Amino acid sequence: MERLRDRVAIVTGAGQGIGEAIARRFASEGAHVVVAEISPALGEATAATLRAETGTRAQFIRCDVADARSVEAMVAETIATLGAPDILVNNAGIAVFGDPLDITDADWARCMSVDLDGAWFCCRAVLPAMLARGRGSIVNIASNHSFQIIRNTFPYPIAKHGLLGLTRSLALEYADRGITVNAISPGYIDTPLNQRMFAENPDPEARRKVEAKQPVGRLGRPDEVAAVAALLASDEARFIVGANIVIDGGVTIRMYE
Ligand code: NAP
């Protein structure tokens, strides 16, 4: 199925993990994907793989989403090389976890600037082109942390709560002008981010213990998130406005046991 044939899609942080899976799924559905990634090595590799696998015009453009000028330059280059963006996925994100009173100002700023400011900078940069053409889909990768709290993960959930607020606010602002803005909230997904956290955990059983806490007994896969992103980016989802689709294997519907 090629629901995204010849659409131009920007996916931030698409060098690995969930973003890479979304970029791959979009390209397999016919989109020309901009891999907007901070790491040139990861970004180049993903774009080259997508071109080879799908024959689309996937392209790496280096971008630090926390830097408004970098974002504006990335969107300008997208328009110059591939055309106006039809789809934006705000996926780039970092986990900054700690005790509230141990967090430094730099930790706070780093978390907010990538996880929240970055998404806004990208929305602000693509919206004029989307509004001019009367169509566009924005998908924000939020988290279970957008509506539930785990102690000692401060301030990540604050940024992710804000990302849901951004989603709903922009969704309503532009609902009557052909733009959809929605969020996806993944639970525990098996990506390099989590693989790193397990590797750094002194408990060798850390991964197994997390898996045991999941109602389905495993972590989610990046391609399971990508499948929903493709739906939200497609014309099949034009009546889905300001939604937050939770993909977490049931973990947040469970009451304590
Ligand atoms: P990941 O494996 O760390 O991949 C994130 C990618 O984004 C990396 O390639 C990273 O590059 C890039 N990136 C980081 N900072 C950036 C910046 N300032 N500008 C542009 N690119 C940047 O992460 P993931 O697990 O796939 O997570 C992706 C998104 O899903 C994040 O927003 C995360 O909060 C959200 N999420 C993840 C999970 C999960 O369980 N994995 C659950 C809920 C929500 P470098 O590696 O070079 O820094």
Side-chain angles (χ1 to χ4, degrees):
M1 189 167 27
E2 288 213 332
R3 291 177 297 186
L4 307 180
R5 172 165 277 288
D6 288 332
R7 300 285 163 90
V8 173
I10 296 170
V11 184
T12 68
Q16 63 182 15
I18 292 170
E20 180 191 17
I22 292 171
R24 171 168 279 116
R25 177 68 189 249
F26 282 12
S28 77
E29 296 217 26
H32 305 297
V33 178
V34 169
V35 177
E37 165 63 57
I38 199 166
S39 156
L42 293 175
E44 290 283 12
T46 300
T49 306
L50 297 186
R51 284 193 298 272
E53 283 179 358
T54 64
T56 60
R57 296 161 61 202
Q59 187 181 332
F60 163 63
I61 302 178
R62 188 183 178 279
C63 176
D64 175 358
V65 297
D67 175 350
R69 274 181 298 186
S70 172
V71 168
E72 283 153 22
M74 177 273 291
V75 172
E77 192 177 337
T78 300
I79 293 170
T81 55
L82 292 179
D86 301 288
I87 300 162
L88 164 68
V89 180
N90 282 310
N91 165 80
I94 55 171
V96 179
F97 289 173
D99 175 285
L101 295 183
D102 290 339
I103 287 295
T104 64
D105 288 353
D107 292 331
W108 172 278
R110 197 162 53 91
C111 185
M112 297 302 149
S113 67
V114 178
D115 292 348
L116 185 53
D117 298 355
W120 165 233
F121 293 156
C122 291
C123 290
R124 187 174 65 184
V126 300
L127 274 166
M130 289 183 173
L131 288 167
R133 301 161 79 223
R135 76 163 205 238
S137 308
I138 297 177
V139 180
N140 293 326
I141 305 302
S143 170
N144 280 356
H145 293 257
S146 292
F147 51 91
Q148 290 200 316
I149 302 295
I150 302 174
R151 281 187 289 183
N152 270 295
T153 64
F154 194 92
Y156 179 76
I158 301 166
K160 289 296 187 181
H161 274 63
L163 186 55
L164 271 197
L166 180 73
T167 303
R168 294 189 177 127
S169 175
L170 294 180
L172 211 56
E173 291 287 350
Y174 301 112
D176 61 352
R177 298 179 65 185
I179 315 292
T180 62
V181 187
N182 291 290
I184 294 174
S185 284
Y188 241 116
I189 308 296
D190 197 359
T191 67
L193 184 147
N194 282 325
Q195 288 153 11
R196 232 172 11 244
M197 283 200 212
F198 290 133
E200 287 164 7
N201 193 316
D203 181 357
E205 292 293 292
R207 183 184 172 110
R208 198 193 52 73
K209 286 178 185 169
V210 168
E211 286 170 348
K213 285 184 186 160
Q214 310 301 309
V216 296
R218 66 169 176 87
L219 305 189
R221 296 191 317 268
D223 65 281
E224 292 175 310
V225 181
V228 178
L231 168 68
L232 290 176
S234 78
D235 287 342
E236 291 180 306
R238 302 313 298 172
F239 207 60
I240 304 180
V241 172
N244 174 40
I245 299 184
V246 178
I247 308 177
D248 71 350
V251 81
T252 53
I253 59 164
R254 181 177 53 196
M255 217 170 181
Y256 57 82
E257 288 169 352

